[in-house]
């Protein structure tokens, strides 16, 4: 069972059960909705950006443990970051999910849980959904509050 | 082991006919519980295809040379095997298609478009596979028809009273799934079709999940059209069958046009071939048809009655074991059921179940099973589905049950 424990680590199971930043921002500066039609995963993501800094981020989602916990971890990493910092974290995540973890140190230890996902090709989309949705939300820069 | 001895065949002997069943997956012996998605292939089917390409392959219905005649004969033998298997009156009523989806589209296109008019009604059920919804929806949009759905109860059984209220002289087509792929329900299609005939409606049977589990007699069932896919009955992918009553097929327009489906072509007009040729345009899936013929012979040798009996005992055993686990809920609890168990595990998404099962060597389907309206009925995003074929064993089911317990312990 060791291989399974690698994917379903305690931290993933914890974020799945108790997702952080769960909920809605009533009038967010940015927002986006993501779907994974293959498995029915669905996420609504709300971001509050002020002076190029993410001052609040919340989400609501239905889906598997991988997609839900990935969304939860993503929000904890992005909250408080500038947009440039956020894009760097996104790029690092993207590198990990497609190529795995190199020997170089990760910017945040929480990213480590994604190191094994590339070995489960059918689950990469689950892990990426929230992150793609995040990129879409901050790139659009459309005011969802009005 | 009680089960094996009750039935007329030895499952361990049968398993030797399927090379893939002795493979390992992720370091574990393969436990293949996804036969409702596609069945594995016996050696006789694999060999039939190899034999064709090694010994007598040429294009069919064309060459005057012996090789072409040999492959044509085998292709037509397969048509005869299908005719006999479903008790059609004539082999002309058997059309080879790419699969059940194409067969259903063919009916909607070549019958529906030409014989239905504005305001006419088509009845399907709430538990149809998307392949028996979308072609009718498209047709309804084009021709301004009304599409009705027979509702079901929470066991996954059709509400026949509601169906009878829907029937009227406007009803032109009643198209029903024989066995639900996501619930396992066996529908009372004989009753449904008899009622439809009282109003003169054309009856269509989606036999994708029943052709491999139960004896089908198109004449007894009062069935005008029937669709199934070869790969669900131990045959190759890319081959399927449309059965249609001869008088209907004769008056229908072609679905596709081109080579081999014509009598004569000039720049001004084309005369079409007789059925079934009229519906088989272009070079056909020759190895598919011959492989399907071999698959039907294989099933006939085991005996569909024996298969049905054995699979039903697997279902009974698996159901009783699943019910012992309080965190599991079975979706689809009809009285009459085929060997399919759709289920959800409390607080665990089916895709996580599927990934963990895979690591344990167990192949199951997770998702909506191309039946989104069924998922909506039960207000669930998806299920995990285990489906059993005659090559599955009691041991397979024990591994399946232990895998469920493993999932629960990981997520506990």
């Amino acid at each position: 069972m060791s291989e399974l424990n690698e994917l379903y680590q305690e931290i993933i199971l914890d974020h799945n059960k108790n997702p952080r930043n769960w909920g809605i921002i009533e009038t967010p500066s940015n927002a986006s909705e993501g779907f994974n039609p293959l498995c029915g995963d669905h996420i609504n993501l709300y971001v509050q950006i002020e002076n190029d800094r993410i001052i609040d981020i919340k989400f609501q989602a239905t889906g598997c443990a991988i997609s839900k916990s990935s969304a939860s971890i993503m929000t904890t990493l992005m909250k408080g970051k500038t947009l440039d910092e956020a894009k760097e974290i996104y790029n690092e995540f993207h590198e990990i999910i497609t190529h795995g973890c190199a020997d170089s140190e990760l910017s945040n230890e929480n990213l480590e849980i994604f190191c094994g996902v590339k070995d489960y090709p059918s689950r990469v989309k689950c892990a990426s959904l929230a992150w793609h949705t995040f990129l879409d939300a901050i790139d659009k820069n459309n005011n969802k509050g009005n | 082991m009680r089960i094996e001895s009750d039935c007329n065949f030895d499952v361990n002997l049968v398993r030797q006919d399927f090379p893939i069943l002795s493979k390992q997956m992720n370091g574990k012996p393969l436990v293949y519980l996804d036969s409702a998605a596609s069945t594995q292939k016996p050696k006789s089917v694999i060999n039939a295809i190899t034999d064709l390409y090694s010994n007598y392959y040429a294009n069919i219905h064309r060459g005057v040379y012996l090789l072409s005649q040999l492959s044509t004969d085998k292709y037509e033998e397969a048509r005869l095997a299908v005719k006999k298997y479903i008790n059609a009156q004539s082999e002309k009523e058997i059309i080879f298609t790419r699969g059940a989806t194409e067969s259903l589209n063919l009916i909607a296109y070549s019958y529906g478009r030409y014989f239905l008019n504005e305001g006419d009604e088509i009845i399907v059920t709430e538990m149809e596979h998307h392949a028996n919804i979308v072609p009718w929806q498209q047709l309804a949009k084009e021709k301004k028809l009304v599409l009705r759905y027979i509702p079901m109860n929470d066991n996954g059984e059709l509400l026949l009273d509601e169906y009878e209220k829907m029937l009227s002289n406007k009803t032109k087509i009643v198209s029903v799934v024989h066995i639900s792929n996501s619930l396992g329900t066996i529908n009372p299609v004989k009753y449904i079709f008899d009622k439809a005939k009282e109003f003169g409606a054309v009856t269509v049977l989606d036999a994708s999940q029943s052709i491999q589990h139960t004896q089908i007699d198109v004449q007894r069932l009062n069935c005008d059209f029937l669709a199934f896919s070869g790969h669900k009955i131990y045959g190759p992918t890319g081959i399927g069958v449309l059965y249609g009553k001869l008088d209907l097929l004769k008056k229908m327009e072609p679905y596709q046009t081109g080579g081999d489906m014509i009598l004569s072509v000039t720049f001004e007009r084309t005369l079409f071939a007789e059925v079934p040729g009229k519906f088989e345009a272009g070079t056909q899936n020759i190895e598919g048809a011959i492989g399907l013929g071999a698959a039907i012979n294989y099933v006939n040798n085991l005996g569909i009655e024996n298969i049905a009996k054995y699979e039903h005992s697997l279902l009974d055993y698996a159901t009783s074991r699943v019910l012992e686990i309080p965190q599991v809920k079975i979706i689809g609890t009809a009285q009459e059921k085929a060997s399919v168990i759709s289920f959800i595990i409390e607080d665990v998404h089916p895709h996580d179940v599927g990934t963990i099962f895979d690591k344990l060597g167990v192949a199951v389907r997770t998702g909506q099973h191309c039946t989104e309206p069924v998922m909506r009925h039960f207000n669930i995003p998806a299920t995990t589905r285990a489906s059993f074929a005659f090559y599955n064993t009691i041991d397979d089911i024990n591994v399946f049950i232990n895998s469920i317990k493993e999932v629960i312990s990981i997520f506990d």
Side-chain angles (χ1 to χ4, degrees), chain B residues 106-125:
Chain B
L106 194 160
I107 306 166
Y109 183 94
S110 296
Y111 183 83
R113 276 181 96 189
Y114 295 94
F115 295 99
L116 268 63
N117 298 301
E118 188 172 338
D120 284 348
E121 299 188 356
I122 298 169
I123 297 178
V124 299
T125 80

Side-chain angles (χ1 to χ4, degrees), chain A residues 49-144:
Chain A
I49 301 172
E50 280 175 23
N51 301 324
D52 281 345
R53 189 176 287 278
I54 295 158
I55 61 160
D56 198 9
I57 178 166
K58 286 195 185 313
F59 80 103
Q60 283 189 328
T62 53
C64 63
I66 306 297
S67 76
K68 237 162 99 183
S69 58
S70 180
S72 172
I73 290 163
M74 185 274 291
T75 60
T76 61
L77 292 175
M78 296 305 186
K79 201 167 174 175
K81 299 289 191 298
T82 66
L83 291 180
D84 285 345
E85 287 167 342
K87 278 175 193 160
E88 258 176 51
I89 298 172
Y90 173 88
N91 288 339
E92 192 178 359
F93 166 81
H94 192 260
E95 178 64 22
I96 291 172
I97 211 90
T98 42
H99 299 112
C101 293
D103 294 334
S104 57
E105 219 165 280
L106 300 169
S107 67
N108 188 301
E109 59 176 12
N110 276 335
L111 284 169
E112 200 184 325
I113 59 161
F114 298 114
C115 293
V117 176
K118 80 164 179 31
D119 297 331
Y120 297 82
S122 64
R123 307 306 300 277
V124 169
K125 276 189 174 159
C126 310
S128 319
L129 178 66
W131 294 75
H132 289 150
T133 310
F134 172 75
L135 203 61
D136 186 53
I138 63 167
D139 273 7
K140 276 197 301 201
N141 208 26
N142 55 340
N143 192 326
K144 292 272 173 174

Side-chain angles (χ1 to χ4, degrees), chain B residues 35-167:
Chain B
S35 294
S38 199
T39 52
Q40 297 298 347
K41 317 305 172 197
K43 275 184 272 184
S44 61
V45 169
I46 299 166
N47 291 345
I49 297 167
T50 310
D51 187 34
L52 163 72
Y53 284 132
S54 309
N55 296 317
Y56 59 91
Y57 175 78
N59 208 334
I60 55 169
H61 298 154
R62 283 166 174 79
V64 292
Y65 49 92
L66 177 63
L67 209 54
S68 173
Q69 191 55 50
L70 288 173
S71 42
T72 302
D73 288 350
K74 285 283 184 183
Y75 181 83
E76 292 303 327
E77 260 175 42
R79 198 191 304 279
L80 273 173
V82 175
K83 176 232 166 199
K84 221 176 137 194
Y85 186 70
I86 62 172
N87 194 30
Q89 272 191 325
S90 160
E91 65 272 20
K92 290 180 185 162
E93 298 179 319
I94 308 301
I95 294 155
F96 286 122
T97 64
R98 281 193 299 140
T101 297
E102 190 176 61
S103 301
L104 291 165
N105 274 279
L106 194 160
I107 306 166
Y109 183 94
S110 296
Y111 183 83
R113 276 181 96 189
Y114 295 94
F115 295 99
L116 268 63
N117 298 301
E118 188 172 338
D120 284 348
E121 299 188 356
I122 298 169
I123 297 178
V124 299
T125 80
E126 199 184 344
M127 66 175 84
E128 297 306 323
H129 189 282
H130 296 163
N132 199 25
I133 296 177
V134 186
W136 305 119
Q137 261 176 359
Q138 291 297 98
L139 181 69
K141 202 160 68 179
E142 188 188 323
K143 304 276 296 182
K144 298 190 173 65
L145 312 172
V146 180
L147 183 56
R148 296 188 181 279
Y149 298 86
I150 308 172
M152 63 182 174
N153 63 23
D154 291 343
N155 293 326
E157 292 162 324
L158 293 177
L159 301 176
L160 296 173
D161 290 355
E162 296 298 319
Y163 164 60
E164 284 173 47
K165 280 185 231 160
M166 282 176 195
L167 285 165

